Amino acid sequence: MTVANEYIPGNSPIHSMTPLAKIIWTSVVMILALLFNHPLYLLALFFSVLLVAKIAGVLKVLISTLKSLFLFSLILILLQVLFTKEGEVIFYITEYLPVTKNAVYLGTAMGLRMMAAVLSFLIFLLTTRFKDIIQTLTNNLKLPIDYVFIFMTALRFIPTFLNEIKQVKEAQSCRGCSLDGWNPLVKIKAYAAVALPLVLVSLQKADKLAMAMETRGCGSGPRTCYREQKMSAADLSLVFISILLAVFAVLARLNGYGTYQY
Amino acid sequence: MISNPIIQVKDLCQNLDENHFILNKINLTIGSGEFLALVGQNGAGKTTLAKHFNGLLKPTSGKVLVDNLNTKYVKVSELAQKVGYVFQNPDHQIFHNSVEKEISFGLKYLNLPAEEVKRRTDDALKAVGLVDYRYAHPYSLSRGQRQRVALASVLVLKPNVLVLDEPTTGLDYRESMQIMNMIRSLNNQGHTIIMITHDMSLVSTFAKRVVVLNKGEILLDGPVREVLSHQEILSETFLEIPPISRLADKLSVIGIPKNLLTVEEVYRALCDVRGAEK
C-alpha cells in the first residue's frame, strides 16, 4: 500500500485553515462515520470528504491510497458475505453460500465508514504543515509536547523509512541476496537481511535526531512560538458548521434516522 | 570499436512519467577491463544509469545487455555475480556481528563447498586489507573500513564489473586514497570498474575513460585526457578540471604542453622547459 501522508504545499482554502479547525472537522467526520450504519448516509459522508479533497487539490495524490482502501473494503464485504447468513437472499454463490442483502449492506457500510474516516485524516495531514500541527496540539489543545513530538515524529518518518527499506533491499540484492524470488519461505528468511540493517540505521537516525534537537535547545525551558495561530472567520464557521452537524446527527440518530434495520 | 564488450546500453530511456525523463536515449558500450568514471552534477542521472547495469532499474525503453544477457529478464541477485554494486552508505547492508560473516553472507546463496567459501572470503579480506579485522564487529570499524567491508562483501561473488557509487564520500584523504588504490589494483587484476563521482581529481588520477552526463544525456565520452581538454563544455555542467591541469594550461605560455593530468607530468614538463632554457 502506498502511503501518502506528507504535506503537499498549496494555497487552497483547505490549506489556509488553521489546524484546529481541520482537527475538529476530522473528528466530526469520524463521529458521523461511527454514528450511522446506513450505507446511503455513509455514502453521502464519503462523497462530502471526497469533495473536500477535491477543493484541497489532493485528490490525485490520494488515488493510489483510495485504490488500496477500496480493495480492503471489498475484503470486508466478502467477509460479511461469508459470515452473515440472516436476511433476504440475493443470490447463491454455491448451495451453501448464500449472499444476503444484510451481508452486502453491512460490508459496504463498514467499508465506507473506514474510507471516510481514513481519508479525512489523510486530507488533514496532506494540507497541514507538521510544525503547525505540533503547535496546535501543544498550544491550543494543551497536550504535553513530549508525547506530541513522539507521535508526530513517528508519522513524519514513515516516508523516510519506506525510502530506507528500498535502499537496503537494493544493497542486499546487489550482494546476491535473493529478495526478488517467488518462494515465500526463502523470502521470509531473506528479509532478516533487510530488517536488521533497517533497525540499525533507524537507531543511528534517532540518535542524530535527538542530538540535533538538543543542540537547538529542545527541552531547555518553556516553549514559545514565532507565529501565533489565529482563527479566521472561515475557520470559525467551519468549526461551527462541523459541531452543528455533529449535534444534529446525534439528535437524528436518537430519533431513529440513519440506521439500517438488520 | 570496443573489442570485448561486457555492458552494452542501447537507446536506453528511463522516464518518470510521459513528459519527464531521467535518461534520454543513452548509448554506451563498456569493454571488459575498463576503468570508467561516470561524472556529472547532482541529478544528471549518474546513479540512475548505473542502476541499470545490474538490473536494479529496468529500462522504460531500449535495452541493457550484460555479458549479452538482457537485464530485463534476469534477477538482480543473479546479475550480482556479474556486476557488483557498492552503495554510498555501507550501513545499509551491514548486519552481521563479525566482518568475516558479513563478507561471506552473499556466498550462502551460491551453495558453494565450505573450503571455496573460506578461500573466497580470505581473498576478499586480503583485497580490501582487512585480514586483521576478520573477527571485529563491523560497527567498531571506521566509516572507511566499513566502506571496505561493503566492497569486500560484493567482491566475494567475483563479479567481472564493479560499480562504485561515490566510493570516497565521507572519507578523509588517507582513507580515500586507500580505497582508490584498492580499486586500481582490482582493475589491474582484470575487474571492470565503473565509478560514479564528481571529484575530477580522482577522475584524472585513477580513471582511464570518462563519461560526462548532463540532464540525462551523454555530453562527452572518451579517454580522460581528451574529455578534460573540453573545458568549456565541462564548465557548462559545473565540472571543474583539476587545479594541476588548470595550472598547466596557464603555463602553456612558457611552452608547457596542454592537457596534463598529474603533478608528476607537470613537474617533468617544467623540468624539460628549464633544461631547454639552459
Side-chain angles (χ1 to χ4, degrees), chain B:
Chain B
M1 212 32 227
I2 286 152
S3 55
N4 194 5
I6 180 85
I7 292 176
Q8 286 163 286
V9 180
K10 287 174 184 164
D11 292 324
L12 167 66
C13 295
Q14 180 68 39
N15 293 36
L16 267 183
D17 52 57
E18 278 162 35
N19 304 317
H20 299 90
F21 61 84
I22 311 173
L23 294 173
N24 188 23
K25 287 254 163 76
I26 300 279
N27 280 294
L28 184 67
T29 306
I30 299 169
S32 187
E34 281 199 72
F35 195 134
L36 181 141
L38 213 52
V39 299
Q41 26 174 162
N42 288 345
K46 298 175 298 227
T47 303
T48 310
L49 176 59
K51 280 185 177 172
H52 281 88
F53 296 157
N54 70 343
L56 275 177
L57 289 173
K58 312 288 183 193
T60 311
S61 68
K63 62 180 172 182
V64 179
L65 302 178
V66 173
D67 208 2
N68 289 320
L69 285 171
N70 192 334
T71 58
K72 207 171 176 177
Y73 308 115
V74 191
K75 283 198 291 184
V76 180
S77 49
E78 281 169 31
L79 271 175
Q81 292 170 55
K82 294 184 191 298
V83 182
Y85 196 115
V86 184
F87 283 82
Q88 265 182 57
N89 187 354
D91 298 345
H92 277 139
Q93 59 176 71
I94 288 175
F95 69 105
H96 288 92
N97 49 20
S98 80
V99 170
E100 184 185 33
K101 277 190 212 157
E102 187 62 52
I103 290 175
S104 59
F105 168 69
L107 295 174
K108 279 200 292 194
Y109 294 88
L110 298 183
N111 297 323
L112 295 172
E115 56 268 32
E116 173 70 7
V117 171
K118 179 149 185 341
R119 205 171 53 77
R120 285 204 190 188
T121 310
D122 287 346
D123 287 351
L125 277 167
K126 242 176 261 161
V128 297
L130 286 176
V131 179
D132 296 341
Y133 296 93
R134 179 175 215 128
Y135 304 110
H137 197 286
Y139 272 91
S140 70
L141 305 179
S142 73
R143 167 80 189 245
Q145 287 167 329
R146 286 212 296 282
Q147 190 90 43
R148 275 144 64 186
V149 172
L151 174 59
S153 69
V154 169
L155 268 182
V156 282
L157 299 171
K158 301 207 162 182
N160 177 330
V161 184
L162 275 176
V163 183
L164 301 133
D165 196 343
E166 311 237 0
T168 59
T169 344
L171 304 186
D172 63 17
Y173 181 74
R174 189 178 58 92
E175 284 185 322
S176 303
M177 283 307 117
Q178 271 175 347
I179 205 155
M180 285 313 299
N181 284 323
M182 262 158 224
I183 293 167
R184 177 186 268 167
S185 75
L186 286 170
N187 180 238
N188 290 338
Q189 287 162 34
H191 285 282
T192 312
I193 306 289
I194 298 165
M195 174 177 75
I196 301 173
T197 186
H198 37 227
D199 184 338
M200 292 306 274
S201 299
L202 278 187
V203 172
S204 68
T205 323
F206 292 96
K208 290 171 190 157
R209 177 180 169 195
V210 189
V211 172
V212 182
L213 279 176
N214 188 36
K215 292 174 188 149
E217 287 173 358
I218 291 182
L219 200 61
L220 291 168
D221 176 7
V224 177
R225 214 174 286 275
E226 188 196 310
V227 168
L228 287 185
S229 67
H230 294 285
Q231 276 196 52
E232 315 78 52
I233 305 180
L234 285 177
S235 63
E236 261 173 53
T237 66
F238 301 98
L239 289 167
E240 210 169 59
I241 61 169
I244 194 70
S245 305
R246 267 184 291 152
L247 178 66
D249 279 351
K250 289 247 161 116
L251 287 176
S252 62
V253 287
I254 62 161
I256 300 257
K258 284 199 168 198
N259 304 331
L260 297 182
L261 297 178
T262 60
V263 176
E264 191 62 25
E265 283 177 2
V266 177
Y267 172 72
R268 273 201 217 112
L270 275 170
C271 286
D272 288 348
V273 170
R274 270 187 73 182
E277 273 173 7
K278 280 176 186 169

